[in-house]
Amino acid sequence: MTGAEFPHLTPGAARRVSTPDARRAVLDTFHNPQWTAPVRDAPALLRHRRRGCELHVRITDDVVCFVAFHLDSATSPRPAPVRSEPVRRRRRGGAGNVWPTIWRELRARLRAAGCELSRRGKHDLARLPGGGTYTLPATASDHRALRNAAHDLTALGVELRRPHGRRPRREAR
């Protein structure tokens, strides 16, 4: 086995390859892996696996950064499927919700629609632009109370849905 056909190893990975059998396993895994997947915590590395040998290979220059030998590869866990595009983090219900997702947002949309809000004991009283009133609970016990209130107010003529397009950004304080 010549040095040209053997991949370049980092010092930590080279310490794990101390026998001819280990060198053969690393070489087989490097050139003919049974499966390959990105490393979850390091997107610049690929995980090559063949039988009981696992390698982490740097994508840019094919340097082997990590070598591990698993005694029982049949029972070792398979990697989870990796998504082709990263997951987009969402706050407060995500970009797809057009209805208010928290009470503060509902109150802000009521004010934007021209309603006057006042506190009456344990409840908020909303005076609607058309002259009607609606009582908002201060401590709702039902998980659907916010959605029900938004739909009731929409039925009374107050438009609370977010307009189509992008959600407005929060202003810096």
Side-chain angles (χ1 to χ4, degrees):
M1 191 179 304
T2 65
E5 65 186 56
F6 199 75
H8 182 68
L9 302 168
T10 60
R15 279 195 296 270
R16 306 274 305 189
V17 184
S18 57
T19 64
D21 289 338
R23 281 178 64 94
R24 196 172 309 113
V26 168
L27 187 62
D28 289 345
T29 305
F30 183 77
H31 290 295
N32 300 312
Q34 287 176 332
W35 56 260
T36 302
V39 177
R40 286 188 197 175
D41 298 331
L45 297 177
L46 283 178
R47 212 173 144 188
H48 293 304
R49 187 91 180 259
R50 182 177 179 82
R51 295 189 189 100
C53 182
E54 181 176 327
L55 308 176
H56 291 188
V57 180
R58 206 173 332 161
I59 295 171
T60 56
D61 52 2
D62 285 339
V63 172
V64 177
C65 301
F66 173 80
V67 176
F69 297 101
H70 305 284
L71 297 176
D72 187 10
S73 62
T75 60
S76 62
R78 299 215 30 103
V82 178
R83 296 175 190 236
S84 59
E85 61 185 53
V87 176
R88 194 171 130 211
R89 297 275 181 196
R90 296 187 169 140
R91 291 179 42 201
R92 295 191 292 149
N97 286 350
V98 294
W99 295 100
T101 55
I102 57 175
W103 288 100
R104 184 180 343 141
E105 186 179 359
L106 175 70
R107 288 188 204 99
R109 289 190 190 182
L110 280 171
R111 286 187 199 97
C115 298
E116 294 178 23
L117 294 175
S118 60
R119 188 82 172 169
R120 298 284 183 200
K122 293 184 178 183
H123 303 287
D124 286 336
L125 184 66
R127 295 191 200 289
L128 306 178
T133 60
Y134 186 82
T135 305
L136 295 168
T139 56
S141 59
D142 184 14
H143 73 279
R144 287 198 40 90
L146 175 67
R147 174 77 48 108
N148 290 339
H151 284 272
D152 290 345
L153 286 162
T154 302
L156 291 172
V158 180
E159 185 57 45
L160 296 174
R161 289 179 285 189
R162 186 177 65 230
H164 293 293
R166 297 184 68 103
R167 179 169 49 185
R169 293 203 173 260
R170 287 178 45 188
E171 297 152 11
R173 294 183 184 190

